[in-house]
Amino acid sequence: MNFLEHELRIDIETVTDDIDTVKFNSYLAHYFDHVMAGSILLDIEEADLKTFFAENREEFESHKLYAWPIWYDDVNELEQYLQVNNYKCYIIFASLGLSGYVFAKTFEIKNK
């Protein structure tokens, strides 16, 4: 994680033993569950913000007390901030280990 460059990078070893880097650009925040070596990532998908916030409203209601990912008074304000500033929500799916989401403007995958 590079807070100065606003980017989050995840290096992944593929089934062919290559190393790919997933880079989230203009990174704002992330939430990951079950982070561990040997995680098996399946996919990264862009979520519809309106649907994502409808399904996770309670989680963000509890996060606002900690100003995460930004200061906001109500979840609608956070959702609007993300939309106005062109942030997207990327959902990470895994069959083992790491799963969660990232708020960033773009992401790319590069082979090393």
Side-chain angles (χ1 to χ4, degrees):
M1 191 166 338
N2 185 331
F3 289 115
L4 298 175
E5 297 293 326
H6 303 280
E7 65 184 28
L8 172 64
R9 293 179 183 226
I10 304 172
D11 288 334
I12 301 168
E13 183 177 1
T14 68
V15 293
T16 58
D17 296 327
D18 294 325
I19 302 295
D20 289 347
T21 298
V22 178
K23 180 180 164 190
F24 294 93
N25 303 300
S26 299
Y27 159 83
L28 178 66
H30 73 274
Y31 182 83
F32 293 148
D33 279 330
H34 312 294
V35 178
M36 62 185 203
S39 294
I40 300 173
L41 302 186
L42 297 174
D43 200 4
I44 300 172
E45 293 181 5
E46 183 180 336
D48 174 72
L49 281 175
K50 192 174 267 321
T51 303
F52 180 79
F53 277 98
E55 293 171 352
N56 297 282
R57 184 162 295 288
E58 287 181 29
E59 177 183 346
F60 288 97
E61 284 294 337
S62 68
H63 289 324
K64 75 180 179 184
L65 298 174
Y66 304 100
W68 188 90
I70 62 167
W71 285 102
Y72 59 96
D73 291 320
D74 104 350
V75 177
N76 293 330
E77 180 184 346
L78 171 59
E79 181 183 349
Q80 183 177 14
Y81 173 86
L82 294 173
Q83 289 175 345
V84 167
N85 290 285
N86 299 312
Y87 283 100
K88 296 177 178 139
C89 179
Y90 297 103
I91 308 291
I92 297 175
F93 296 94
S95 65
L96 177 67
L98 178 71
S99 60
Y101 56 87
V102 176
F103 292 125
K105 293 189 179 180
T106 62
F107 91 97
E108 58 189 299
I109 301 175
K110 292 186 177 184
N111 299 44
K112 283 190 173 185

